[in-house]
Amino acid sequence: MLNCKDVVVKFGGVRGLDGVSLTFERGISGLVGPNGAGKTTMLNVLSGFVSPSSGRVEFDGLDLLSMNPTGRARWGLRRTFQQEQSVDSLTVWENLLVAAENLGSRPADARQIADLVGLTELDRPVPLLSMLERRLLELGRTIMGRPRILLLDEPVAGLPEAESLMFAPLIERICEEFSLTVVLVDHDMDFVTRACSNIAVLDFGRLIAYGDCVSVLSDPAVEAAYLGVSNES
Amino acid sequence: MKGLKVMWESRAKSGLTIGLLAGGLWALAIPMAVDDYWLRLLTTSVIYVVVAAGVGLLFSRLGIVSLNQIALMGVGGWIFLRLSYWLDAVPSMLIMCLAGLATMGIGVLIGLPSLRLSGLSLAVVTLMFAAFAEIVFTSIGFPTGNNGWRGEPAPGETSVPIPSPAFAESNTGLWFYVVITTTVMLLLLWVFLTGRWGRAWAAIKQSEPGAVSIGIHVTSSKVTALAVVSFTTGVSGALLAVPTGSLVSQSFSAISSVILFAVVLIGGAFSLVGAVLAGLLFVALPPALEALVARIPVVLELLGPTFTNLIYVAFGIGLIQSLIASPRGIAGDLAGVGVRLRRAQRWPLDPSDAVFAFIVLVVPPLSLALLDLSLAVYVVAAIWISLWLVHPLRTLWPSRSPRGIALIGIAVGLLIGALGFLAGPWVCLLAALLVVVSVNFLRKRLARRLVKMDEELASEGIHAQL
Ligand SMILES: Nc1ncnc2c1ncn2[C@@H]1O[C@H](COP(=O)(O)OP(=O)(O)O)[C@@H](O)[C@H]1O
Ligand SMILES: [Mg+2]
């Protein structure tokens, strides 16, 4: 159970997150909202790249904010980035290997994970990969060793419809295999509702709705946010 | 899994085997081929190969612009000289390692700003250290075999050099000693580069958040790189002190660290081959250029004794060339020439390549300095002119085969060379200028055709990559 309590992030005078309290259960949860709503900022807080000015983040009672980002990654809090981060100067295999080496995994496990996400021809340099393969590689890198929490920041951005369709079952499989808590960020409602049971909706740094798909989708505040109208008016 | 690992390792290892084999052959051939003066010079350049490799590693893997590596080399040399006086019974190999370890400590310490700074500000800080070291070296000097912590002769005493080891008596012995030590240092760097640390460095270079998110400790990775590079640099500083048992502070000026960085970019920061080229360029090119210019009375008259500064101009041109046209330096372009030769579709040399610039700018002065033949001047001139002509001629006749164009270029080059041999250097120079300028002028007028062809070449390049 990943628990956020009254998380506030200030960028100068702007509030990136404005007192967000949220609980993500084991399984896949969605985090949606229009552009600039604070989704990436939320993941940055969880993974340690941004320190909140107040608030708490706990996982099963363990205080996550006391660990630095590298420490969190090694402990099992993994994430991907909106801009995918595979190392261009290495091959696919070396990309998996470097993650395995630093996340306490063995090369043999790296090989298994390549099979799990469906990567082949591992001796190719990364610049020769298709966008889909780069996204798969990134996903593979996050589940080395002993993952506990997986934060995915728009994992299907830039992929054509057909390819992003096959991503949801893959994430489900990974979630089950490692019994993870997955937070899936996307602004595409369709994709998120396909993969998630619960959805949280952010707008202007505030949580405006949280619950199962059906109730969230029918929430008038969510509709307003997605139409680009401020929910206060 | 096993097959995959074996495949990977075998690929990395085959590069190593080829490198060691080629290096070994060169190492055996050079003492037979060159005279004592050049052997000593090449010995020194081999020592600098290690320093260049360190500069290249820091820059290409971690983006650290370190402008104090020559100063660090001086630190290694200083410690080595003092230790060899105190520990005169200990083999010099061991003292070199000790000096390397001490330099490692200092190198990590002065490298600490690189954990917080980057880019230009880091470059300036490292340069500041180099300047500081220069002041210290100049004021306290390098130790000789005298007493006291500075090892300086007291008034009335004469300076005693540290006795050099037996193998350093003969130039050939020293050459092999330096080559072997350098090889060991390069192997050490290679092990780090191709191993776990090298991969972590690559990830950090790509993106620090990305590296952190897969559990990489950015700080300890950077410190490790600094430590390894400082160690090898310190050892090479010690190596520099071995032959004469003494060092002079002029060898470790701040400006030489800056020039070394430029030369590493020219040679290629991304590979150890580039480091070898950089060592050669850094040490052997200046005297070669001097030897060449000394033969041209006009330049001597014009510039007087300051003509030695021409080397800065040459390095400047090389740096601009590599920044604009070949970010991977001569070594990277050499790999490209290899690919083109295998495909055998294109003339393997391209004026935008550093390899081309290397052949045109460096080979003539080097060969002129090495071969004392007046005929050689014109042969080199012929090659030179041919190379400059091939690309413009190709744009004039895009339909002709590359080999045909190359033949025309070579024929014109030979003709002008022969003309020079018969009628004198001025005729040769004028004819060459006339031909190159007029061909380039015609080429400019066909600019549109040129653009089209470059597009074709570009798409050809893309296909080659895919
Ligand atoms: N490092 C930063 N400095 C200043 N403002 C930031 C920073 N990161 C994000 N923001 C601002 O915070 C808001 C939320 O951004 P973000 O979390 O990236 O939104 P998204 O939901 O699209 O991922 C935006 O208005 C953005 O401009
Ligand atoms: Mg975002």
Side-chain angles (χ1 to χ4, degrees):
Chain A
M1 206 169 63
L2 180 59
N3 210 332
C4 312
K5 192 114 180 67
D6 294 325
V7 174
V8 177
V9 173
K10 290 182 194 155
F11 297 117
V14 183
R15 288 189 167 223
L17 288 176
D18 196 0
V20 176
S21 297
L22 247 178
T23 301
F24 297 109
E25 302 286 345
R26 192 146 296 169
I28 309 176
S29 310
L31 182 61
V32 298
N35 258 330
K39 308 181 294 292
T40 300
T41 307
M42 189 71 204
L43 294 200
N44 283 340
V45 168
L46 294 175
S47 55
F49 290 96
V50 165
S51 308
S53 39
S54 67
R56 285 207 315 271
V57 179
E58 287 172 354
F59 183 76
D60 290 345
L62 176 77
D63 177 22
L64 288 182
L65 294 181
S66 64
M67 287 191 267
N68 68 15
T70 308
R72 283 185 224 189
R74 292 189 171 187
W75 168 81
L77 191 155
R78 307 292 167 68
R79 70 167 294 177
T80 65
F81 294 83
Q82 213 164 329
Q83 193 73 50
E84 144 295 320
Q85 301 281 341
S86 312
V87 185
D88 286 331
S89 57
L90 299 179
T91 62
V92 178
W93 171 243
E94 289 172 312
N95 264 282
L96 293 168
L97 198 59
V98 68
E101 283 164 341
N102 290 284
L103 293 171
S105 180
R106 288 169 306 139
D109 303 333
R111 173 72 224 206
Q112 272 178 359
I113 280 169
D115 289 339
L116 177 68
V117 297
L119 281 168
T120 52
E121 296 177 59
L122 303 186
D123 61 328
R124 277 176 299 168
V126 167
L128 298 192
L129 298 189
S130 69
M131 200 60 211
L132 175 67
E133 287 171 313
R134 292 180 80 113
R135 290 289 184 188
L136 290 174
L137 174 59
E138 186 177 38
L139 192 61
R141 278 162 36 116
T142 58
I143 52 175
M144 295 291 171
R146 185 162 167 10
R148 297 166 206 256
I149 303 171
L150 189 52
L151 314 172
L152 302 172
D153 198 349
E154 310 206 7
V156 295
L159 291 183
E161 182 84 23
E163 290 180 349
S164 69
L165 279 182
M166 58 159 289
F167 234 85
L170 178 63
I171 294 171
E172 272 162 31
R173 249 190 84 194
I174 287 173
C175 178
E176 218 149 278
E177 177 131 3
F178 298 93
S179 71
L180 296 173
T181 302
V182 179
V183 179
L184 179 58
V185 166
D186 215 300
H187 56 248
D188 177 5
M189 270 292 193
D190 284 348
F191 176 67
V192 175
T193 47
R194 196 172 291 121
C196 308
S197 41
N198 280 323
I199 297 180
V201 186
L202 285 178
D203 195 21
F204 292 110
R206 294 221 178 99
L207 184 69
I208 58 167
Y210 183 43
D212 60 275
C213 292
V214 184
S215 64
V216 164
L217 281 179
S218 56
D219 193 315
V222 176
E223 269 174 44
Y226 265 78
L227 288 173
V229 186
S230 168
N231 56 326
E232 277 135 26
S233 59
Chain B
M1 166 63 235
K2 204 160 192 181
L4 198 82
K5 200 171 169 201
V6 168
M7 184 186 74
W8 239 111
E9 294 197 333
S10 72
R11 181 185 291 184
K13 274 188 190 137
S14 76
L16 180 72
T17 318
I18 292 172
L20 282 178
L21 227 62
L25 283 178
W26 276 99
L28 286 175
I30 281 174
M32 293 187 247
V34 301
D35 61 19
D36 271 1
Y37 170 74
W38 281 97
L39 188 57
R40 289 210 84 117
L41 211 64
L42 288 174
T43 306
T44 313
S45 45
V46 171
I47 295 175
Y48 279 88
V49 166
V50 178
V51 188
V55 171
L57 189 155
L58 289 180
F59 179 65
S60 68
R61 305 298 155 138
L62 289 165
I64 296 175
V65 176
S66 182
L67 300 180
N68 59 28
Q69 295 300 312
I70 297 275
L72 215 52
M73 196 185 183
V75 170
W78 202 99
I79 296 171
F80 172 78
L81 284 178
R82 207 72 284 248
L83 285 182
S84 2
Y85 172 71
W86 286 328
L87 313 169
D88 58 352
V90 180
S92 66
M93 215 34 149
L94 201 63
I95 300 180
M96 271 182 355
C97 286
L98 289 177
L101 287 175
T103 314
M104 181 166 104
I106 295 174
V108 169
L109 214 62
I110 60 168
L112 288 182
S114 67
L115 302 178
R116 302 303 295 274
L117 302 175
S118 63
L120 191 59
S121 30
L122 176 61
V124 172
V125 170
T126 58
L127 186 61
M128 205 185 64
F129 172 77
F132 175 70
E134 182 176 340
I135 294 169
V136 173
F137 289 147
T138 317
S139 60
I140 69 171
F142 280 87
T144 49
N146 300 72
N147 221 334
W149 74 274
R150 277 165 59 183
E152 225 191 22
E157 237 181 339
T158 51
S159 124
V160 193
I162 307 272
S164 48
F167 54 78
E169 299 286 304
S170 89
N171 284 334
T172 317
L174 183 67
W175 163 259
F176 283 113
Y177 184 75
V178 165
V179 164
I180 290 168
T181 317
T182 300
T183 310
V184 173
M185 292 301 121
L186 289 182
L187 274 177
L188 182 69
L189 292 178
W190 183 86
V191 165
F192 272 88
L193 278 173
T194 54
R196 182 184 166 153
W197 288 107
R199 287 187 283 274
W201 296 335
I204 293 171
K205 174 86 191 288
Q206 178 85 30
S207 138
E208 283 195 22
V212 166
S213 75
I214 52 169
I216 292 173
H217 273 299
V218 174
T219 306
S220 59
S221 302
K222 283 188 176 176
V223 167
T224 307
L226 286 170
V228 178
V229 168
S230 306
F231 174 79
T232 54
T233 303
V235 169
S236 58
L239 210 47
L240 203 59
V242 162
T244 56
S246 63
L247 288 171
V248 289
S249 53
Q250 286 91 314
S251 319
F252 306 103
S253 62
I255 187 75
S256 58
S257 288
V258 179
I259 292 171
L260 182 68
F261 186 77
V263 171
V264 167
L265 287 191
I266 296 170
F270 288 82
S271 73
L272 294 180
V273 176
V276 172
L277 291 171
L280 210 66
L281 286 176
F282 185 69
V283 180
L285 188 60
L289 197 68
E290 269 177 46
L292 169 72
V293 172
R295 298 233 178 101
I296 309 174
V298 189
V299 179
L300 267 182
E301 263 167 44
L302 226 67
L303 298 177
T306 61
F307 78 86
T308 50
N309 288 341
L310 272 182
I311 192 64
Y312 297 124
V313 180
F315 284 152
I317 294 172
L319 188 61
I320 293 169
Q321 142 84 23
S322 73
L323 286 179
I324 294 173
S326 57
R328 295 194 153 247
I330 299 171
D333 285 342
L334 265 179
V337 170
V339 171
R340 270 174 258 155
L341 273 178
R342 250 172 286 141
R343 287 169 60 219
Q345 286 163 358
R346 277 179 65 187
W347 173 244
L349 294 174
D350 193 294
S352 67
D353 280 354
V355 180
F356 181 82
F358 177 76
I359 291 174
V360 168
L361 294 174
V362 176
V363 171
L366 260 185
S367 43
L368 284 178
L370 290 173
L371 310 167
D372 200 4
L373 297 169
S374 66
L375 181 61
V377 178
Y378 300 104
V379 173
V380 170
I383 297 171
W384 203 352
I385 294 159
S386 327
L387 285 172
W388 277 127
L389 279 179
V390 169
H391 192 66
L393 281 176
R394 273 199 69 191
T395 47
L396 281 179
W397 293 302
S399 50
R400 254 204 216 172
S401 82
R403 282 201 183 77
I405 299 281
L407 281 180
I408 295 175
I410 289 167
V412 176
L414 281 177
L415 206 72
I416 296 175
L419 193 69
F421 188 59
L422 297 175
W426 288 109
V427 180
C428 176
L429 197 66
L430 275 178
L433 269 180
L434 204 70
V435 171
V436 172
V437 167
S438 55
V439 168
N440 270 303
F441 177 71
L442 278 176
R443 189 176 84 126
K444 280 265 162 57
R445 299 197 50 181
L446 294 169
R448 247 183 341 149
R449 217 191 270 187
L450 179 76
V451 169
K452 207 172 126 227
M453 211 184 75
D454 278 354
E455 275 164 9
E456 276 166 24
L457 287 183
S459 65
E460 198 181 315
I462 289 164
H463 287 311
Q465 275 188 354
L466 288 179

